[in-house]
Amino acid sequence: MTQVAAPSQALRISPAALAQKVAQQLDRHRNGDAYPVMVVRAEPVWPHDPVLPLPGGRQVRVAPCVSPLAVWDHLVVDRGDEVLVLLTDIPESRLGPGVRSRIFRQQVITVEPWDLVVGAFGAQVSDIALEKERWAGQALLDAMPPGGWPRLATKVLSRDVALRHLAAVRLGLSRRGTDPDDLDVSTLLRWSFEPGAVEAFALLGQDERDGLARWLVEQFGRPARALFALADVGRGTDALPMGLVCDALWTVDTPDAVRAQGRVDQYFGGLNDDVIVRGFAAAAVQVVGGMLSDRDADVRRRGQAVLDRAEQLLIQFNAVASAGHSPILRTGFSKRIGDAAAALVAGLANPTDPALGAAVDRLAGHRLAEEEADRVRRVRMAQRLVRWLEVQVEPPASVADGVQRQTAEWGWVDLALNHVWAGEDVHPELQHAFRATHERAQQRRRDLDGAFANRLAAWATAGPGNDGDLLTVENLLPRVVDPLLRDGRPVLLVVLDGMSAAVAVELADELSEHWVEYDPLARGGAGRRRGITAALPTLTAVSRTSLFAGALRAGTQATERQIFDKGRWGADARIFHKGPARGGAGEVLAGDLTDALAGTARLVAVVINTVDDSLAHGREGDEAGWQLSDLGFLRSLLDRARSSGRAVVITSDHGHVLERGGKLVKANDAASARHRTGPGPAGPGEVELSGPRVVSEENRIIALWDPLRRYRPTKAGYHGGASLAEVTIPLLAYLLPNVDDVPDGWAPVEVRRPRWWEATEPVVEVTPVPIATPKPRRKAPAVAGETALFDVPEVTSAPAAAPKSGDGDLVTALLASDIFKAQHSLTPRKLDLGKVESAMRALVEAKGVLSLAVLAQRAGELPARAAGFVATLQRIFNVDNYPVLSLIDDGRTVRLDVPLLRTQFGLPQGAA
């Protein structure tokens, strides 16, 4: 008896695969009926739309048939202009000749899975390795996207290409717009934490699920092995958080950690392979770290959810105590916060202890440091205050000296104090450390304010003409703006009412991205940021009116408009206050202001009250720091100034002090929160100011110098007094980077942060260099009600400049080296050796870091050519592409690596 082979099992076919097969058959056999009946051997199941579109506009109607009678019933029905496809698993021999005679090509069309798959990818053959994956053929047909698989440029469909595309569909990457080529360990682990993702994978057929898992483990190694070990025991969604827990536990060998490791092994279903776990843990840390810093807010939120779950797992495994060293878990971040807090307190007692720097650096190196940027910034600010407390600080030798040091250093102290005051809302130890640091630093600042008040009293009495080189608010326009106007240069003058030196520090740093800061009074010397002395009392009605009038006087907005209307600063000068400057609905700037900036008006002055208003309404009472976006429409003003080529001068009329738990002082004669006019003598925290510089009745007031005292009810901040922060007005002057015709006497500002601000090692004591001032006519009186805080020296001239660093000889040796001569000769455009020498000496003297504009100025190069000049220097000095010279801060700053310079050019390592 002859044995007949059993028919092969019919395949389950997807809509995309069926449409592909039908279109292929119709294309190959075009001579028959345009709308035939086609019988396809496949599972007689069709849970999809019964109508499929074909290329060219034809449609296919699909019907499953479980018997020959069902096939015959469809043959005798009028079907219209449609291709009819009947799906059946009946052998062709059972259909009979009558049925076969009425169907396409008189035969049942057999679907070979690999033929369909290969054709779907536009290839001709599949490789042997792919065909050995017997489960993959049906899986690739089932998973085929509605538009089919992507067409490949190669003739052979390889195993890895096909399975990568299959994995991308089964993992849902295509729904998220992720390309199959982007499938990697990170994508796989992120997928595992998506809601329902692992559960959906578990619903695949056993053969396909096992086959895909094997291929993914083969591709991605240990992390995938651990992931699918968790998935096999129903815990795949915990893969990422479990990886973070493993990273914490497998990097220590304490008894508690070892016991927790045993509990985690059971969670994996007994994986019990330390090598796999360590690789998995490292990958999880990398992946979650990327999620936490991703630009997409949804991804960042999922990263935070991973951390939440990891903390729950730590509790479940009784492993919280073993995770304090983790570089990514919240437990680790909290531990580092505590370490930094303890180091701050210890640093107050022993400032030279390097433990503080190490603790803060470890905190900043945690993966949550970016997420917790405000907390880390406040710790860093407290660290800076501790370092400042270590530095010897001399009292201000004069008003000029105090104002300049407030601008160059003490304003940075105020900024740090503001951030530390903002405080910590979670960690008690850090709260204590902030409080102790703030109290110590604040007391030192109060001491400086008291000494400054002594000098201010003498200076106010002396009157105008005894200012030395000091810039005062009433001579700002005559000395800085008027020369520009006479030179025909248009100017935008912005008065940020109430801006202090601390506010200016952050604002200037942000503006440096697009503008170059200049010192308008450098007169051939090195540029520095300058401070201006406010009029007394330090009120808007006095100081701002004096600024616009060019003389000491009091007034209102109407007075200021009258000054401009009468042509004091040119017939076309315009001034805009808060109301007239702001546009209507849909506008940022008023039309008149926009026209003035774009037009021929040489001077456009704009008053922005954002800072001053915040003192009354509480903005700066709770938040530390100011950004450009916080300052009203300043950004829009600067954009307009850029497009019209204006020089920009940003200043204020006075500074301010902030409410920091101060004391209310009862005074019936209080004229503001910080000064009074009665006849009584100065009391604690007060100073009597009299003389021609005081714009008040009888040219006399009593002002508070102590920032912790006030005469009126609590607000966010105050002004009107005699502290350094109120009297000092910052001056910021800007030109665009591509300006060739720099005004006479202007030089780029070399903004040097105080050494204690950025130092990573203990700061040496530095005696400040006082600014030359005239010898006072009489000894400054002590502040009433207070003991003398400092012995104030009389200064008649600045001391001789410090000798140049011995590293100056390094440049001589450099220029004489054979390597330099060879490199210099290879440049297409030979740089003047004098410019090269000047640039290198400037960098060496600046400890290797200078702004692009300052370096160009020191080398005698035009600002507009600064970038090209530095690029040529890099071609000379970056031998073999080693970064001896590099650009940092988005190309705004040049950095010289002196040790690398010595190595590359064969210069003695220790010699100057």
Side-chain angles (χ1 to χ4, degrees):
M1 180 176 177
T2 304
Q3 192 172 27
V4 180
S8 61
Q9 183 179 2
L11 295 172
R12 181 177 63 254
I13 193 166
S14 68
L18 181 61
Q20 174 188 317
K21 187 66 176 179
V22 171
Q24 182 186 80
Q25 291 292 316
L26 292 175
D27 188 57
R28 289 178 181 176
H29 308 282
R30 301 181 180 181
N31 296 329
D33 185 357
Y35 302 101
V37 177
M38 190 177 295
V39 178
V40 175
R41 180 168 174 75
E43 282 189 3
V45 176
W46 191 255
H48 314 289
D49 191 324
V51 177
L52 290 177
L54 290 178
R58 281 185 288 186
Q59 288 185 337
V60 173
R61 181 168 295 276
V62 183
C65 298
V66 296
S67 66
L69 183 59
V71 174
W72 184 260
D73 287 344
H74 283 91
L75 291 177
V76 298
V77 174
D78 184 15
R79 62 185 179 277
D81 293 338
E82 288 181 329
V83 178
L84 178 62
V85 174
L86 306 179
L87 304 181
T88 186
D89 57 356
I90 303 170
E92 183 177 307
S93 59
R94 291 184 53 196
L95 292 180
V99 171
R100 292 199 301 271
S101 66
R102 303 183 65 169
I103 64 176
F104 182 74
R105 298 188 64 211
Q106 292 83 49
Q107 65 184 30
V108 175
I109 296 171
T110 302
V111 177
E112 295 293 341
W114 288 120
D115 290 343
L116 277 180
V117 170
V118 169
F121 280 98
Q124 295 180 5
V125 296
S126 59
D127 69 9
I128 296 175
L130 176 58
E131 292 187 0
K132 286 182 178 179
E133 302 283 356
R134 298 184 180 278
W135 58 272
Q138 181 66 61
L140 284 163
L141 289 181
D142 291 344
M144 187 184 298
W149 292 113
R151 312 292 283 185
L152 304 178
T154 59
K155 295 181 179 180
V156 179
L157 175 62
S158 71
R159 169 178 175 265
D160 286 345
V161 167
L163 296 189
R164 180 173 288 274
H165 281 82
L166 175 62
V169 170
R170 293 310 197 196
L171 301 182
L173 303 187
S174 55
R175 293 194 303 272
R176 300 197 304 271
T178 303
D179 191 272
D181 291 336
D182 295 330
L183 176 59
D184 55 14
V185 170
S186 175
T187 305
L188 183 63
L189 291 179
R190 288 192 186 196
W191 161 83
S192 71
F193 196 70
E194 293 179 1
V198 176
E199 290 84 351
F201 186 81
L203 296 177
L204 296 175
Q206 183 72 41
D207 290 344
E208 181 180 357
R209 187 170 67 249
D210 292 345
L212 264 183
R214 283 194 305 272
W215 180 81
L216 289 167
V217 170
E218 175 188 315
Q219 294 294 309
F220 305 126
R222 295 163 186 163
R225 175 79 177 276
L227 165 61
F228 288 109
L230 287 168
D232 285 345
V233 294
R235 299 185 177 112
T237 54
D238 274 344
L240 270 179
M242 181 58 69
L244 304 187
V245 171
C246 291
D247 176 72
L249 297 180
W250 263 260
T251 49
V252 290
D253 57 0
T254 63
D256 286 346
V258 172
R259 283 191 290 271
Q261 289 174 17
R263 292 189 287 271
V264 170
D265 275 335
Q266 297 305 311
Y267 200 81
F268 274 97
L271 181 65
N272 198 26
D273 189 323
D274 282 358
V275 175
I276 291 176
V277 172
R278 291 177 190 275
F280 166 60
V285 170
Q286 191 68 26
V287 170
V288 179
M291 294 172 71
L292 295 174
S293 59
D294 199 281
R295 293 183 178 181
D296 189 323
D298 287 337
V299 175
R300 293 197 302 274
R301 280 194 290 271
R302 287 199 294 273
Q304 292 295 329
V306 173
L307 295 181
D308 292 340
R309 178 57 180 157
E311 295 293 333
Q312 293 172 359
L313 290 173
L314 282 177
I315 296 172
Q316 178 178 325
F317 295 125
N318 193 23
V320 174
S322 300
H325 65 286
S326 170
I328 192 167
L329 290 173
R330 293 200 178 97
T331 295
F333 185 80
S334 181
K335 175 66 165 55
R336 296 187 191 195
I337 284 280
D339 292 344
L344 282 170
V345 174
L348 290 173
N350 181 14
T352 60
D353 187 350
L356 175 56
V360 176
D361 288 343
R362 275 180 50 78
L363 176 64
H366 195 277
R367 295 293 186 112
L368 285 177
E370 184 176 352
E371 177 73 21
E372 300 280 0
D374 287 342
R375 298 176 74 190
V376 175
R377 184 184 302 112
R378 289 166 189 167
V379 172
R380 185 76 76 183
M381 292 294 186
Q383 176 195 20
R384 288 163 173 159
L385 290 177
V386 170
R387 289 200 299 244
W388 178 64
L389 289 168
E390 177 194 354
V391 179
Q392 179 183 344
V393 177
E394 297 293 336
S398 64
V399 170
D401 179 40
V403 167
Q404 191 54 45
R405 289 165 71 189
Q406 174 70 12
T407 304
E409 180 172 5
W410 298 333
W412 300 75
V413 175
D414 292 345
L415 175 61
L417 282 167
N418 293 344
H419 280 276
V420 172
W421 173 268
E424 163 69 18
D425 59 352
V426 176
H427 208 289
E429 289 84 357
L430 188 57
Q431 292 172 345
H432 169 71
F434 280 170
R435 185 163 53 251
T437 303
H438 189 277
E439 288 175 356
R440 285 275 298 277
Q442 184 186 57
Q443 184 55 53
R444 177 185 260 199
R445 279 292 288 113
R446 291 175 70 195
D447 292 347
L448 293 171
D449 282 325
F452 177 74
N454 284 329
R455 289 305 190 188
L456 188 65
W459 177 76
T461 301
N466 292 273
D467 304 324
D469 195 40
L470 178 62
L471 187 61
T472 57
V473 69
E474 74 274 12
N475 62 35
L476 170 63
L477 265 66
R479 291 183 60 185
V480 174
V481 175
D482 208 28
L484 296 173
L485 302 179
R486 290 197 302 269
D487 195 39
R489 188 182 300 268
V491 178
L492 168 65
L493 172 64
V494 181
V495 179
L496 289 175
D497 199 320
M499 177 177 65
S500 64
V503 175
V505 166
E506 293 185 297
L507 175 60
D509 185 61
E510 190 170 358
L511 291 182
S512 66
E513 294 182 13
H514 302 292
W515 295 83
V516 177
E517 184 180 356
Y518 281 83
D519 177 357
L521 300 175
R523 301 193 189 98
R528 58 185 172 90
R529 186 175 299 159
R530 293 184 181 266
I532 307 168
T533 306
L536 302 173
T538 52
L539 298 174
T540 298
V542 173
S543 208
R544 198 175 77 192
T545 303
S546 298
L547 186 157
F548 286 129
L552 291 171
R553 61 180 297 184
T556 62
Q557 280 189 197
T559 310
E560 295 161 5
R561 284 196 302 271
Q562 187 179 39
I563 291 167
F564 271 70
D565 291 344
K566 289 185 175 180
R568 173 67 176 85
W569 305 111
D572 58 353
R574 301 289 304 279
I575 184 170
F576 295 85
H577 291 90
K578 180 178 180 180
R582 188 65 174 88
E587 298 176 328
V588 176
L589 303 179
D592 289 349
L593 175 53
T594 300
D595 294 342
L597 289 169
T600 58
R602 288 184 301 162
L603 173 61
V604 178
V606 181
V607 177
I608 298 179
N609 296 87
T610 307
V611 177
D612 203 28
D613 288 347
S614 75
L615 303 180
H617 301 301
R619 183 270 180 209
E620 200 169 347
D622 299 320
E623 301 177 26
W626 287 86
Q627 301 298 318
L628 183 58
S629 57
D630 298 326
L631 295 168
F633 46 81
L634 179 58
R635 187 189 300 276
S636 297
L637 279 177
L638 295 174
D639 289 342
R640 295 286 182 175
R642 181 187 297 114
S643 61
S644 57
R646 291 179 178 271
V648 175
V649 176
I650 302 176
T651 190
S652 181
D653 50 354
H654 53 75
H656 64 265
V657 295
L658 296 172
E659 171 57 41
R660 294 296 182 249
K663 177 182 179 182
L664 176 64
V665 179
K666 294 183 179 180
N668 296 328
D669 57 345
S672 76
R674 295 276 294 166
H675 87 283
R676 58 189 180 88
T677 58
E686 297 179 330
V687 62
E688 181 178 341
L689 302 175
S690 62
R693 295 213 55 86
V694 181
V695 184
S696 180
E697 291 184 12
E698 300 180 357
N699 298 108
R700 176 190 174 278
I701 62 171
I702 293 176
L704 287 168
W705 61 260
D706 186 347
L708 296 184
R709 295 172 185 264
R710 66 183 190 279
Y711 296 130
R712 291 187 174 173
T714 304
K715 291 186 178 180
Y718 320 95
H719 56 91
S723 70
L724 278 159
E726 294 165 283
V727 173
T728 302
I729 301 170
L731 171 62
L732 306 174
Y734 292 99
L735 297 173
L736 289 171
N738 59 353
V739 171
D740 284 333
D741 54 334
V742 176
D744 290 341
W746 284 43
V749 168
E750 185 177 339
V751 179
R752 294 196 178 185
R753 296 177 175 89
R755 287 195 60 203
W756 51 266
W757 185 267
E758 298 197 69
T760 56
E761 66 282 341
V763 183
V764 298
E765 293 186 353
V766 176
T767 301
V769 178
I771 297 175
T773 58
K775 184 179 293 186
R777 296 179 181 177
R778 61 182 177 87
K779 186 175 181 180
V783 178
E786 301 287 334
T787 58
L789 298 169
F790 300 99
D791 292 327
V792 182
E794 293 185 355
V795 179
T796 57
S797 62
K804 289 185 178 179
S805 166
D807 269 346
D809 292 339
L810 172 67
V811 178
T812 301
L814 170 67
L815 299 184
S817 69
D818 292 337
I819 299 177
F820 169 77
K821 293 175 181 177
Q823 288 290 108
H824 184 256
S825 67
L826 293 175
T827 56
R829 287 185 57 200
K830 298 296 184 295
L831 280 184
D832 181 87
L833 283 175
K835 291 184 177 181
V836 175
E837 180 177 3
S838 297
M840 298 307 289
R841 289 193 185 280
L843 281 167
V844 170
E845 291 171 5
K847 307 302 181 186
V849 179
L850 270 182
S851 73
L852 193 66
V854 171
L855 182 65
Q857 187 261 346
R858 295 286 185 86
E861 189 61 80
L862 292 173
R865 299 179 183 174
F869 175 67
V870 172
T872 306
L873 288 179
Q874 288 179 303
R875 296 187 64 172
I876 295 173
F877 291 107
N878 292 357
V879 181
D880 296 331
N881 292 321
Y882 283 91
V884 173
L885 270 184
S886 56
L887 288 171
I888 58 176
D889 294 338
D890 294 327
R892 305 192 305 270
T893 304
V894 183
R895 180 168 61 191
L896 170 66
D897 188 328
V898 175
L900 186 57
L901 175 74
R902 292 181 186 275
T903 299
Q904 291 298 93
F905 286 83
L907 304 175
Q909 291 297 317

